[in-house]
Amino acid sequence: MNHEHIPGAQPEHESTHTTPSIYVASLADYNNGLLLGDWIDATIGADAIHEKIAAILARSKEFAPEEWAIHDYEGFGTKHLGEYESIEYVAALAEGIEKYGEAFAAWVDYSGLDVEDWHYFEDAYLGEYPDLTAYAEQIVEDLGWRDLIDEHVPEGMKSYVRIDTEQMAEDMRLGGEFYCVESDAGIYVFNGHI
C-alpha cells in the first residue's frame, strides 16, 4: 500500500537510545492509505500514553477516528509486543525495563507471569554472564571455596585440586537451580525456584 505521509507523523524513529518506546498509529488513517502516528516514550505511564494517543487521533481528518494500533516499538529487548497490546501492560513493562534493564523484558517474556507477579524479578534475577561456567565461577568466588582449598590442601597437592565449574553449572542447570535466557553479552541467569 502506498502511504501518504501526514505532517507530524514520524514513521521513522531516529533514536540512538533504547528507552522503551512505541509507535502508535491511527487505524482509520492507516486503512485509508495515510500514515498518522507518533513515537511515544512508554516510560511516561499509562495515563500519559493514553493522552498522547488521544492527541494523535485528534489530528486525524477521518470520520470518528477511535481505533489505534502499535505499529512499531523499540527498547523492549527480546519481548515482542502485539499491535493491540494493553497500554497498561506496555507501561508496566517499560517501567520495569527502565528500572532493571533488558533482563527484565527477557524474564517477563520467558516466565510468562502476569503483571501482578512481576515484583518477583528482584529475587529471581541472578545476573548477566558470558556463559554458564562464568556463573558457576562467580558462585565459587562468592562462597570462598578457592580460599578453602588454599587453607586446607597441602601445598604439594594444590596443583591437582580444582573445582569443575563447567560441570557444576551444567548440574545446577539440569537440577533446575536456575535457568538462562540469551542476552546480547551472553546469558541472563534466573533463580529456578522463583
Side-chain angles (χ1 to χ4, degrees):
M1 176 182 265
N2 185 11
H3 294 289
E4 178 184 330
H5 182 71
I6 295 177
Q10 300 172 0
E12 307 262 340
H13 195 208
E14 302 278 336
S15 176
T16 57
H17 69 298
T18 57
T19 298
S21 303
I22 54 175
Y23 181 81
V24 176
S26 163
L27 286 181
D29 292 88
Y30 181 80
N31 290 335
N32 286 304
L34 302 173
L35 185 57
L36 174 63
D38 277 323
W39 280 96
I40 301 171
D41 179 343
T43 65
I44 63 175
D47 290 342
I49 294 171
H50 281 295
E51 288 174 13
K52 293 207 176 263
I53 292 171
I56 292 168
L57 297 176
R59 292 194 328 253
S60 177
K61 304 282 191 254
E62 298 298 321
F63 178 73
E66 298 172 354
E67 296 182 347
W68 54 269
I70 297 171
H71 280 186
D72 202 359
Y73 55 89
E74 70 174 19
F76 287 89
T78 58
K79 182 70 175 136
H80 296 283
L81 298 179
E83 283 187 310
Y84 306 106
E85 208 73 68
S86 155
I87 291 301
E88 287 69 24
Y89 178 88
V90 170
L93 182 60
E95 180 184 330
I97 293 168
E98 183 178 45
K99 185 174 182 178
Y100 301 112
E102 289 189 8
F104 182 79
W107 179 75
V108 166
D109 193 35
Y110 183 87
S111 71
L113 292 174
D114 292 328
V115 175
E116 57 270 7
D117 294 323
W118 289 358
H119 64 278
Y120 291 119
F121 175 80
E122 287 184 0
D123 294 328
Y125 185 53
L126 300 173
E128 183 177 17
Y129 298 89
D131 55 34
L132 290 175
T133 302
Y135 172 65
E137 288 171 0
Q138 184 65 53
I139 291 173
V140 168
E141 289 303 315
D142 290 348
L143 295 176
W145 291 349
R146 284 197 174 84
D147 294 338
L148 289 174
I149 290 171
D150 285 344
E151 287 176 28
H152 298 287
V153 174
E155 195 61 44
M157 294 297 295
K158 286 182 183 176
S159 62
Y160 301 107
V161 177
R162 71 178 186 89
I163 299 172
D164 188 346
T165 53
E166 185 176 343
Q167 187 61 52
M168 177 182 155
E170 184 62 12
D171 289 347
M172 289 174 67
R173 184 186 66 78
L174 292 173
E177 294 295 315
F178 62 85
Y179 59 90
C180 308
V181 178
E182 285 188 39
S183 73
D184 290 339
I187 57 171
Y188 298 120
V189 180
F190 300 100
N191 184 328
H193 300 293
I194 295 174

